Amino acid sequence: MNNARNLGFILAAYVGSVFAIEKESPPSLRKVAADAAAFLTSKPRTAATARDVATDLPYFGGEEGEKCRTAALKKFEKDQSVKVKRDTLRAIMATDLFRKAADYCVAEIQLYDRASSLVCLLEEESNYNTTYSRFWGGDNSDYGYVYYDGEYDLATMMEYTQNFTILSSNVGCLADCYLGGDGCTELENWLTYSGTICKEQYCSLQWGEIDEAYHALRVCASKAIAVPKDGDKEAYVDATHSNQVTSNLCAFKMCASN
């Protein structure tokens, strides 16, 4: 799938999301959702490329969402208990290989940050105790806020895939990690809150939007820099893309069903 089509799938998912927010959320979020929906469903400029469009997209959480996301990220950057992990990621981010992937995947990183800004804002306006950060990072540190930033998450991908030379785990359905199910067996043993999130929380807080952006970024980066140890880059990218489709479809079905 080329980048333009990949971005198209992401935008289609966001259209549905912002309409849902417009219907069920407080006025501040409904205004953001209405603006985003109007933008996304307007006729695209014929000369625009996928990356031009991504550059022009509004923050789906608005300025308040971006402030929320930035403040959350600062918690991670100031937490001395995760200094070793943070320094490891920053070392990766200083490499030419990281820069090559980040420059190639500008649109995907932007969409990731916009998804996390919306999630952050929704979480602030909700009464749920478990945040996306707490789910993935645990209770004992602010490490989980690393997943509110596209570039930092790209660095985590490069760490566990050994610079996109191995596939690492391809979880069949990230939604199952939250709600429980067979699609998350590889991760459930080290996730404190695995299977404890109710469907209403998962869907209303739009956690799946960050996950969709994560998959899009992982596929993009694999195209940009993957050099698999077995030498078959096409198979590597295909496997990463297949995992993206499977997991995104699972998440969609989860929130679309009654």
Side-chain angles (χ1 to χ4, degrees), residues 199-211:
K199 178 179 175 180
E200 179 183 359
Q201 178 182 356
Y202 168 71
C203 297
S204 66
L205 297 185
Q206 304 289 316
W207 284 6
E209 301 301 333
I210 297 181
D211 293 342

Side-chain angles (χ1 to χ4, degrees), residues 1-10 49-51 104 108 216 219-220 223 237-238 241 244:
M1 179 182 295
N2 60 37
N3 284 331
R5 289 182 62 198
N6 194 29
L7 180 60
F9 280 121
I10 301 170
T49 66
R51 297 189 186 282
Y104 184 80
E108 288 76 10
V219 170
C220 178
K223 293 177 180 178
V237 173
D238 286 347
H241 176 236
Q244 174 193 27

Side-chain angles (χ1 to χ4, degrees), residues 19-258:
F19 277 123
I21 296 166
E22 183 180 7
K23 180 179 179 182
E24 300 176 3
S25 300
S28 60
L29 285 177
R30 285 202 298 269
K31 177 63 167 61
V32 172
D35 291 344
F39 183 92
L40 290 172
T41 54
S42 62
K43 184 177 180 180
R45 300 187 303 273
T46 55
T49 66
R51 297 189 186 282
D52 291 331
V53 172
T55 301
D56 292 341
L57 283 173
Y59 285 112
F60 293 119
E63 292 183 5
E64 290 304 309
E66 180 61 9
K67 288 178 182 177
C68 181
R69 188 188 76 84
T70 302
L73 187 60
K74 286 181 179 179
K75 294 180 182 178
F76 161 73
E77 293 178 332
K78 292 180 179 180
D79 186 350
Q80 290 304 304
S81 70
V82 297
K83 183 179 184 302
V84 174
K85 292 182 179 179
R86 183 172 58 245
D87 288 349
T88 297
L89 296 180
R90 286 177 174 172
I92 292 172
M93 295 166 79
T95 64
D96 291 340
L97 190 64
F98 174 87
R99 195 72 265 151
K100 179 180 179 180
D103 288 346
Y104 184 80
C105 301
V106 170
E108 288 76 10
I109 289 171
Q110 290 175 336
L111 287 170
Y112 187 110
D113 290 348
R114 284 161 184 150
S116 57
S117 73
L118 175 58
V119 168
C120 186
L121 190 59
L122 287 168
E123 289 178 339
E124 279 200 341
E125 298 195 5
S126 78
N127 295 317
Y128 295 109
N129 292 324
T130 305
T131 62
Y132 190 88
S133 166
R134 191 178 181 189
F135 182 89
W136 289 106
D139 295 325
N140 299 321
S141 74
D142 288 322
Y143 180 77
Y145 288 116
V146 73
Y147 301 117
Y148 286 48
D149 184 80
E151 288 207 348
Y152 266 117
D153 202 6
L154 174 58
T156 71
M157 296 178 203
M158 291 181 67
E159 181 180 24
Y160 62 71
T161 63
Q162 298 178 25
N163 291 332
F164 287 87
T165 61
I166 62 172
L167 281 171
S168 187
S169 62
N170 276 325
V171 177
C173 177
L174 284 176
D176 280 354
C177 296
Y178 310 113
L179 286 77
D182 295 336
C184 189
T185 54
E186 292 187 41
L187 300 181
E188 60 187 9
N189 289 333
W190 64 269
L191 289 171
T192 303
Y193 296 102
S194 178
T196 66
I197 306 302
C198 68
K199 178 179 175 180
E200 179 183 359
Q201 178 182 356
Y202 168 71
C203 297
S204 66
L205 297 185
Q206 304 289 316
W207 284 6
E209 301 301 333
I210 297 181
D211 293 342
E212 287 186 19
Y214 153 81
H215 280 299
L217 179 54
R218 188 173 176 183
V219 170
C220 178
S222 71
K223 293 177 180 178
I225 63 172
V227 183
K229 291 183 177 180
D230 66 4
D232 192 341
K233 180 172 181 177
E234 183 177 357
Y236 186 103
V237 173
D238 286 347
T240 306
H241 176 236
S242 178
N243 180 238
Q244 174 193 27
V245 172
T246 301
S247 191
N248 286 357
L249 181 60
C250 175
F252 173 79
K253 288 181 177 178
M254 196 74 71
C255 291
S257 63
N258 294 326

